[in-house]
Amino acid sequence: MALILNIDTSTDVCSVAIARDGYVIALRENDEGFNHSVLLGVYVDELLKENNLTSDDLDAVAVSMGPGSYTGLRIGVSLAKGICFGAGKPLIAVSTLEALANAVARRKGEEMYYCPMIDARRMEVYTAIYDREGEMIQDIRAEVIEEGSFADLLVDRKILFFGNGSDKVKNVLKNPNAVFISGVTTSAGNMVVLAERKFAEKKFEDVAYFEPFYLKDFVATVPKRKVL
C-alpha cells in the first residue's frame, strides 16, 4: 500500500496523478500540445498542495518510461528523478504501452488481444500486443503499418487497436477482426495499478542511471522555413 506520484509526458498529453493504494485521488492533465516543460512542475506542485502533501509524504514516484516523444520522455523522467533525489524516494518506471493496454483491458474485459499504438510519425507507430491478463503477445517495437500487418494474429482472433497512433492506420488494416476505438490517450491515471504492483514487488530503478525507453534514436529536424 503506497502513496505514489505518477507522471506521464510520453505524448502530447501532460499528465500527473497522485494515487493511494492503487486508486487515483488527484489528477491533472493537459492535451493541448507539447507544453510539458511549462506545465509539468506546476501540476506536481498544485496537486501536492491541494492535497496537503509534500514530496516527503510520497512513498515513490512513478514515471511513464516510453516509448513515445523523445523530448516529452526526457522532461518527465528528469523531473521524476529530481523529486526522488531530493526526497530520497524510490523511482518506478512504467511502460507507456503496457499502461495503455492495461487500462483498456480492465475496462473492456473481453477475451481478445489489445494493441496500443503511439504515433511515431508517418505510417510508423510504437506498438505491442497484450492479452486480457496483461501478458505480452508481441514485443514492443516501432512498426510501419501496412495492409498485411498483424495478419498472422488476425486470422483467428480479434485485436482491439487504440491510442493516438491507431487512427491513421484504421483505413489500412481492413481485416474484419481488426477493431478500433478512438479517444484513448496516455494518462498518469492509467499508470497507477501497474505502479502500485511494482511498488509492492519493490521493482525500483536506479535513480542515477535510469534512462527512458526511447526505442529509436532521436533525429533532429530542420525547419523548412528559416527566419534570417
Side-chain angles (χ1 to χ4, degrees):
M1 301 297 186
L3 182 69
I4 301 176
L5 176 69
N6 298 267
I7 295 172
D8 191 337
T9 53
S10 57
T11 66
D12 58 344
V13 180
C14 180
S15 182
V16 179
I18 298 176
R20 190 186 301 276
D21 304 336
Y23 294 93
V24 175
I25 62 172
L27 174 68
R28 187 149 301 168
E29 53 193 14
N30 181 287
D31 61 357
E32 297 176 356
F34 285 95
N35 301 311
H36 305 344
S37 60
V38 175
L39 297 177
L40 184 59
V42 174
Y43 284 178
V44 171
D45 287 342
E46 288 179 348
L47 285 190
L48 289 174
K49 289 177 182 177
E50 289 171 6
N51 289 274
N52 297 314
L53 299 169
T54 70
S55 56
D56 290 331
D57 296 313
L58 300 171
D59 292 303
V61 179
V63 66
S64 187
M65 63 182 289
S69 160
Y70 183 94
T71 302
L73 290 171
R74 289 203 71 82
I75 292 170
V77 169
S78 294
L79 182 61
K81 291 172 72 170
I83 296 171
C84 290
F85 268 125
K89 304 299 179 178
L91 177 67
I92 298 170
V94 176
S95 164
T96 307
L97 291 170
E98 185 180 1
L100 266 177
N102 181 70
V104 173
R106 284 191 297 118
R107 190 173 73 210
K108 290 288 183 180
E110 296 180 34
E111 193 62 51
M112 60 172 67
Y113 286 155
Y114 293 84
C115 184
M117 289 182 165
I118 293 176
D119 191 0
R121 297 184 181 182
R122 300 185 178 87
M123 291 306 293
E124 189 172 32
V125 296
Y126 300 127
T127 190
I129 296 181
Y130 302 84
D131 65 15
R132 186 178 61 178
E133 286 71 40
E135 293 297 320
M136 186 177 288
I137 305 302
Q138 280 193 355
D139 291 341
I140 296 173
R141 63 203 183 282
E143 181 164 328
V144 176
I145 303 301
E146 301 172 337
E147 187 175 353
S149 297
F150 310 105
D152 56 333
L153 295 176
L154 286 166
V155 170
D156 56 5
R157 187 181 292 260
K158 286 185 178 181
I159 301 180
L160 186 62
F161 298 94
F162 49 91
N164 72 354
S166 65
D167 288 343
K168 68 182 182 181
V169 306
K170 186 174 183 179
N171 294 326
V172 177
L173 297 175
K174 296 294 187 179
N175 193 297
N177 278 336
V179 182
F180 291 81
I181 56 173
S182 59
V184 179
T185 61
T186 53
S187 172
N190 294 337
M191 300 169 52
V192 299
V193 172
L194 299 179
E196 178 71 20
R197 186 182 304 163
K198 284 197 168 186
F199 181 86
E201 297 172 352
K202 300 188 182 303
K203 292 184 177 179
F204 304 134
E205 304 296 330
D206 186 314
V207 177
Y209 295 103
F210 175 75
E211 290 290 333
F213 178 41
Y214 295 119
L215 193 57
K216 295 199 305 181
D217 293 333
F218 174 68
V219 179
T221 58
V222 179
K224 293 182 179 178
R225 297 179 63 186
K226 297 181 179 180
V227 179
L228 299 178

